[in-house]
Amino acid sequence: MTKMIRSVFLLILFIGTIALPFIHSDAAETKVYRVPLHQEVEKGLHAFLQRSFKEAKAAGAETIVLDIDTPGGFVDAADQIAKLMKSTDAEIVAFINDRALSAGAFLALYADQIYMTPNGSIGAAQVIDGSGNAAETKANSYWLAQMKNAALHKPRDPKYALAMADPTIDMPEFRAQKGELLTLTADEAEKVGYSEGTVATFDELLQKLDLADATVISTTETFTEKAARFITNPIVVPILLSVASLGLIVELYSPGFGIPGTMGLTALFLFFYGHTVAGLAGYETLILFLLGIGLLIAEFFIAGGIAGIFGVLAIVGSILLAGTNLAFMAISVLIAIAVASIGMVVIMKFFGKRLHLLNKIILMDTIDTEDGYVSNENRTELLHRVATTLTPLYPSGVAELDGERIDVVSEGSYIESGKEVVIVAVEGFRIVVREKKKEEETNL
């Protein structure tokens, strides 16, 4: 019995010895997700970060390192990403690997910890409009409040965040006199509590965080995410819509279906593809767009124009709903309409083109005598013949020519009855005469 107990004990000990490294490895494994936040902050970036954060949560990662190197970007996109960061359970560390300016500074302040490389910088966060000038008072006031909220998220002293966005704040000790925006170096950021430390490399950052033995998983953008970021860029959107509208307008003036129409449809496809991948446009937007196309096609078979009007409204509505910023999308649509209108004028004015598509539903041909069409007999043989007025011409009346009564009209002057007149013009039913002059009688 004792021998059996000893054998069972040794077996358990042996199995435990073998399994212990694996149990220890699984229990002790720590995962860190390294997520790049590079280039501009725009709508497509949100979809990539959302996917990365979701993967980190599924993998059980407790730390996400945002590798930041950005000149800034767009306010609405930064707001979306900030909400994503606040809703994430994992600790977020901002690793400013060069620069975090404008919207990049705003997002860095929402991180739980901030570390910077020795040459790193953070700040210069004033909101600007599409022309590169300081935004209007309303937009600037909103952004200042957002910067303050970002600083208080950890909390950090908000006066520095406000100085990054407001040039009226005077901080000469940091080279930010009135009229200048605050931009902090790595040492300055650490001094004012906007950085937990300065590290030269990512590995050094992991040591600072006591994560040197952690498994690092780096996420990268897929091709579709890169395409979506490019397509949803606020500079690219109006260009795509302009190409689409201009291509389709040119196609209307061309026989058949060719390159302009293909370019227009391709631009529209890219627009909706990018906004769908970026999570900005849902299937309801695509359904609304296809409904608009269907109504436009139906317009060629249904009289009244109602289907066409609703079709255009549906297409414009689908484009407006594809973006998060309704005002920006409206401006983009207006730009596209302006480009299409200019293109239409150029085609008609300088190239003399007519709307080819309407030839099937509108009669474009003219009927004239050159093509052999006549509405009445044109009696050109009466030209220069002499007739006698039977009635006074006031200026119209009746004359006789070789026993035939004909309706005539004088060139404008009154002619008495019984006068000889010369037929000077024949225009259909209209026969124009003038009184015969004495010298003409002599010649005759």
Side-chain angles (χ1 to χ4, degrees):
M1 187 70 179
T2 304
K3 189 175 181 180
M4 180 180 291
I5 294 173
R6 183 182 300 174
S7 299
V8 172
F9 175 77
L10 290 174
L11 179 61
I12 293 173
L13 183 63
F14 175 73
I15 294 174
T17 302
I18 295 175
L20 186 61
F22 297 98
I23 296 173
H24 176 74
S25 175
D26 291 339
E29 183 179 14
T30 302
K31 294 179 181 178
V32 174
Y33 262 69
R34 183 179 184 180
V35 182
L37 199 162
H38 297 165
Q39 300 175 357
E40 283 191 337
V41 176
E42 31 69 32
K43 298 172 185 176
L45 177 63
H46 176 265
F48 166 63
L49 294 179
Q50 189 175 43
R51 192 256 300 173
S52 299
F53 284 21
K54 186 176 181 180
E55 288 182 4
K57 182 178 181 180
E62 297 180 357
T63 305
I64 297 174
V65 177
L66 284 181
D67 191 329
I68 301 177
D69 180 10
T70 175
F74 299 90
V75 172
D76 53 349
D79 280 341
Q80 283 188 314
I81 295 172
K83 291 176 183 177
L84 176 65
M85 294 173 68
K86 287 188 289 184
S87 64
T88 301
D89 295 330
E91 182 180 38
I92 298 177
V93 178
F95 175 44
I96 300 177
N97 190 8
D98 192 9
R99 55 183 177 166
L101 305 180
S102 190
F106 170 74
L107 295 177
L109 291 175
Y110 268 105
D112 299 298
Q113 297 186 64
I114 299 175
Y115 286 87
M116 301 173 66
T117 55
N119 62 340
S121 58
I122 179 173
Q126 184 179 22
V127 62
I128 58 175
D129 58 21
S131 303
N133 302 315
E136 59 182 12
T137 303
K138 184 177 179 181
N140 191 53
S141 176
Y142 168 80
W143 182 243
L144 288 173
Q146 290 295 86
M147 286 294 292
K148 183 176 181 179
N149 289 336
L152 293 174
H153 178 69
K154 274 316 297 173
R156 298 181 176 95
D157 191 339
K159 70 178 182 180
Y160 300 106
L162 291 173
M164 292 177 181
D166 187 356
T168 64
I169 297 176
D170 189 22
M171 286 191 178
E173 65 275 22
F174 295 112
R175 306 166 314 284
Q177 296 85 357
K178 277 191 176 182
E180 301 290 337
L181 297 173
L182 175 64
T183 300
L184 297 173
T185 64
D187 292 338
E188 292 167 344
E190 189 172 355
K191 179 180 178 182
V192 301
Y194 271 44
S195 170
E196 275 65 44
T198 303
V199 294
T201 63
F202 182 75
D203 290 337
E204 188 178 340
L205 171 65
L206 294 179
Q207 291 177 357
K208 285 271 189 179
L209 298 173
D210 294 327
L211 295 172
D213 297 328
T215 300
V216 178
I217 302 173
S218 297
T219 61
T220 57
E221 291 178 297
T222 62
F223 173 78
T224 55
E225 287 170 338
K226 288 180 180 178
R229 286 191 66 178
F230 176 77
I231 291 169
T232 56
N233 189 292
I235 298 175
V236 176
V237 167
I239 295 175
L240 271 181
L241 293 179
S242 297
V243 170
S245 61
L246 186 60
L248 293 177
I249 283 294
V250 173
E251 187 60 43
L252 292 178
Y253 287 87
S254 306
F257 192 85
I259 295 176
T262 302
M263 289 177 59
L265 292 179
T266 301
L268 281 176
F269 169 78
L270 289 174
F271 171 82
F272 283 105
Y273 169 79
H275 284 75
T276 302
V277 171
L280 303 174
Y283 290 108
E284 68 281 356
T285 305
L286 294 176
I287 292 173
L288 183 61
F289 174 76
L290 294 175
L291 176 63
I293 295 294
L295 288 172
L296 286 180
I297 295 174
E299 176 62 28
F300 294 108
F301 305 97
I302 302 175
I306 302 298
I309 293 173
F310 280 102
V312 172
L313 291 176
I315 292 173
V316 173
S318 67
I319 293 173
L320 294 177
L321 294 175
T324 56
N325 191 322
L326 187 62
F328 167 75
M329 296 305 296
I331 293 173
S332 299
V333 170
L334 290 176
I335 292 173
I337 292 174
V339 170
S341 300
I342 294 172
M344 185 182 297
V345 171
V346 170
I347 291 171
M348 296 178 65
K349 186 74 174 177
F350 297 98
F351 293 96
K353 296 285 187 179
R354 292 186 301 182
L355 201 56
H356 182 81
L357 184 62
L358 296 183
N359 287 346
K360 297 180 180 180
I361 56 177
I362 298 177
L363 181 63
M364 295 293 186
D365 295 329
T366 58
I367 299 176
D368 49 34
T369 56
E370 286 79 3
D371 295 326
Y373 298 99
V374 292
S375 58
N376 57 276
E377 184 181 0
N378 200 350
R379 302 182 65 182
T380 56
E381 75 279 0
L382 298 180
L383 280 172
H384 310 302
R385 298 282 300 277
V386 177
T388 304
T389 58
L390 298 179
T391 65
L393 305 185
Y394 292 100
S396 61
V398 179
E400 182 183 20
L401 178 63
D402 295 337
E404 179 187 359
R405 293 169 62 91
I406 56 175
D407 294 320
V408 297
V409 60
S410 74
E411 288 184 315
S413 60
Y414 167 75
I415 302 176
E416 296 177 354
S417 62
K419 295 288 185 179
E420 289 187 330
V421 291
V422 178
I423 299 173
V424 295
V426 178
E427 300 168 354
F429 287 114
R430 188 169 181 266
I431 301 174
V432 182
V433 299
R434 63 174 172 79
E435 189 173 355
K436 186 177 179 182
K437 299 177 182 179
K438 290 184 178 181
E439 56 268 20
E440 289 177 321
E441 295 177 2
T442 303
N443 292 335
L444 293 171

